[in-house]
Amino acid sequence: NFDQYGLQKPDLWRMDFSPRGCCIRAPPEGLFDAIVCDPPYGIRAGARKSGSRRKLIKPVPEKYKENHIPQTQVYESYDLMPDLVDNAARLLVQGGRLVYLLPVATETYTDDVLPKHPCMKVVANSEDFLTMKISRRLVTMEKILSYDINKQDMYRQETRKHANLLKDNNELPGKYGTEGTKLTKADRRAMKKETREQRRKRKVEKLTTDS
């Protein structure tokens, strides 16, 4: 698509946005014009972050450090999303935008579950139905205030206020796949069937409205 429209190809980054794992340094005025992402949220693939589940962590011997692969642990979406928004507020230039997808349970969703940040505001929020019970929100946030690194703890605390609401909403029905749950082929067939049925109903509703 970028070649077709003669646009410069974007940089693709694979990184850890958790407080422990993120190591990107940004000048006070920000670094990126936009961050567009589709975070792994557990329906088909779960997220991981740096860290170990062990209580006692042994240091890596010097002779193994060069080829050492750090351990990772499960990164729940209700932890990932607030960290994503806070890092975007720090890394974006003022007026820059963050775009991300967020899975939600359709029947219980409200805008209150969206992560909030003092430096960011939501400028767009649309819905994409996956099944009759699950949809995902396409959320766009714009940076409206400069990020004060001295207030980072306050920012993170404020952003994580909604983490529990997000956790409650993201407890999706087990057969559709939750954090750390793998979908079977039968589950995927059921999801596709429900999605087709929902699209058919929306199409019928649209034709009825237009006529």
Side-chain angles (χ1 to χ4, degrees), residues 25-31 89-94 143 145-149:
R25 297 180 180 179
E29 64 272 16
L31 188 63
R90 180 174 66 88
L91 298 172
L92 288 170
V93 299
Q94 192 149 334
K143 183 173 179 178
L145 295 173
S146 297
Y147 191 96
D148 186 347
I149 196 65

Side-chain angles (χ1 to χ4, degrees), residues 143-160:
K143 183 173 179 178
I144 56 174
L145 295 173
S146 297
Y147 191 96
D148 186 347
I149 196 65
N150 296 316
K151 297 180 180 179
Q152 188 171 53
D153 290 340
M154 183 272 287
Y155 290 152
R156 288 179 174 170
Q157 185 177 3
E158 184 69 24
T159 305
R160 295 191 65 80

Side-chain angles (χ1 to χ4, degrees), residues 162-180:
H162 299 264
N164 288 334
L165 290 173
L166 184 59
K167 178 180 179 180
D168 292 341
N169 189 267
N170 272 16
E171 289 179 350
L172 307 177
K175 71 174 182 177
Y176 296 103
T178 55
E179 304 295 347

